[in-house]
Amino acid sequence: MNDMTVNIIVLNWNQKKLSLECLNSLQKTTYKNKRIVFVDNGSDDGSVDAVQNLFTKVEIIRSEKNLGYAGGNNFGFKSTKNKADYTIFINNDTYVDPSFIEPLIYEFENKPSTVQTVPKIFFADNKKLIWYAGGNVNITFAQISHRGIRSKDNEKYNHIRQVGYATGCCFCIRTSDFAALGMFDENFQMYGEDVDLSLKVRRSGGNIAFIPKSKIWHHISSSIGGRYSFSKWKKKYTSIFKLILKYSNPIFFPITIAFFLFNAFLNFIMVNLLKIFNK
């Protein structure tokens, strides 16, 4: 299995400290045949210089402007000097278990129908609480959710299972499959592009596997003001609306829009209440 090459793409925009923490943890991973690719999205905080000085073996790809999540990752994927058998996309506001790569690759090698693998993801500020243990998608009811979010880790979340979507926070995919699927849809600026990719995977007959032995930790929404920010809410529901336009059944469209508006309003109230209580 270690003969298979893996590129790990880390996208950064003005988050030098978090990116250095992420790269440091990735360098300590036990998978031998890996390459780390640092993609900078037009930062002006000295991120590139810091990475050049501290991580001399990391490939650095720099965009002159911020291309967003989808555009930045696509740019890095297309621009890397060395193509690999597999590609891992991972947020720069994460750090990883040293052995997180092996379980993700093992699943592919044993189940050819698997097109994406995704780790168990914990909150970085509460290391025993789960952030992601699988993703659920229901376009008709305008619902996208994480399984196990804010739950303590337990046996229920320790089994490999097929899921509705792989979060863009971190997932692994065959490089050839990512290219064949058309990469990320750049009409999604932030949020939604991961769900869109997974829906394309499922529509092509592929499976998405949650791999609990692979573990990482995530600082939530660090680039846009935290988990309770209005910016996050706006971007999230703009992207859900784009997914509805792209994938909803025309027969159920009025029902879907009604659920979308209700969910967006309810989440807006919850975000503001949580912001108040967490001050």
Side-chain angles (χ1 to χ4, degrees):
M1 181 182 69
N2 271 278
D3 292 337
M4 308 303 288
T5 54
V6 179
N7 279 348
I8 307 171
I9 294 181
V10 181
L11 183 67
N12 171 73
W13 179 65
N14 285 332
Q15 289 184 301
K16 179 170 63 176
K17 182 178 179 180
L18 286 172
S19 288
L20 295 178
E21 178 185 2
C22 177
L23 293 175
N24 185 53
S25 72
L26 289 172
Q27 280 209 327
K28 294 177 181 178
T29 51
T30 54
Y31 194 87
K32 300 300 181 184
N33 209 357
K34 65 178 183 290
R35 291 186 290 262
I36 302 171
V37 183
F38 180 75
V39 182
D40 187 74
N41 237 348
S43 298
D44 57 9
D45 68 341
S47 294
V48 171
D49 290 340
V51 173
Q52 285 177 331
N53 291 333
L54 295 172
F55 301 98
T56 56
K57 294 183 179 180
V58 170
E59 179 183 1
I60 298 174
I61 297 170
R62 187 170 192 180
S63 168
E64 293 302 318
K65 62 180 181 179
N66 188 347
L67 301 173
Y69 175 92
N73 276 309
N74 286 348
F75 178 70
F77 178 81
K78 291 183 290 185
S79 301
T80 182
K81 297 174 184 177
N82 301 295
K83 300 302 179 186
D85 298 302
Y86 294 96
T87 299
I88 293 174
F89 293 94
I90 186 166
N91 280 11
N92 68 320
D93 56 355
T94 61
Y95 60 92
V96 305
D97 180 82
S99 60
F100 96 105
I101 298 174
E102 286 88 343
L104 298 178
I105 304 300
Y106 183 83
E107 182 72 9
F108 288 113
E109 297 297 297
N110 287 274
K111 293 184 180 178
S113 62
T114 297
V115 177
Q116 283 181 292
T117 56
V118 58
K120 182 188 292 183
I121 305 175
F122 297 87
F123 286 93
D125 60 0
N126 194 331
K127 298 179 182 180
K128 294 183 179 180
L129 282 187
I130 291 171
W131 182 72
Y132 175 98
N136 306 308
V137 183
N138 189 320
I139 295 296
T140 299
F141 294 103
Q143 292 181 339
I144 299 168
S145 61
H146 289 189
R147 182 173 185 258
I149 188 167
R150 299 184 185 89
S151 299
K152 288 186 177 180
D153 195 17
N154 62 67
E155 186 60 27
K156 181 168 63 173
Y157 304 115
N158 285 337
H159 304 282
I160 294 174
R161 63 190 296 268
Q162 291 186 27
V163 297
Y165 82 98
T167 173
C169 175
C170 181
F171 69 87
C172 183
I173 189 169
R174 293 182 190 88
T175 298
S176 58
D177 283 339
F178 186 68
L181 290 164
M183 303 184 293
F184 288 114
D185 184 344
E186 295 183 22
N187 288 314
F188 296 90
Q189 292 298 308
M190 181 177 285
Y191 298 114
E193 59 279 288
D194 51 357
V195 177
D196 174 72
L197 181 67
S198 291
L199 289 175
K200 289 190 289 187
V201 166
R202 290 168 52 195
R203 289 191 170 198
S204 69
N207 295 326
I208 304 159
F210 165 66
I211 311 297
K213 285 187 177 180
S214 176
K215 299 177 182 179
I216 75 168
W217 289 262
H218 181 31
H219 298 277
I220 307 304
S221 303
S222 298
S223 64
I224 55 171
R227 73 188 73 166
Y228 306 128
S229 70
F230 173 76
S231 178
K232 177 180 178 179
W233 175 88
K234 182 180 178 181
K235 290 177 183 293
K236 176 181 177 181
Y237 280 95
T238 298
S239 294
I240 291 175
F241 185 68
K242 290 179 180 178
L243 288 167
I244 289 170
L245 293 177
K246 189 171 182 177
Y247 291 104
S248 67
N249 186 325
I251 295 174
F252 299 114
F253 187 75
I255 295 173
T256 300
I257 291 299
F259 274 101
F260 167 77
L261 293 173
F262 175 76
N263 291 340
F265 175 74
L266 187 63
N267 190 263
F268 179 79
I269 298 300
M270 289 178 61
V271 164
N272 281 279
L273 288 175
L274 289 169
K275 188 185 295 184
I276 293 169
F277 289 129
N278 283 274
K279 282 186 177 179

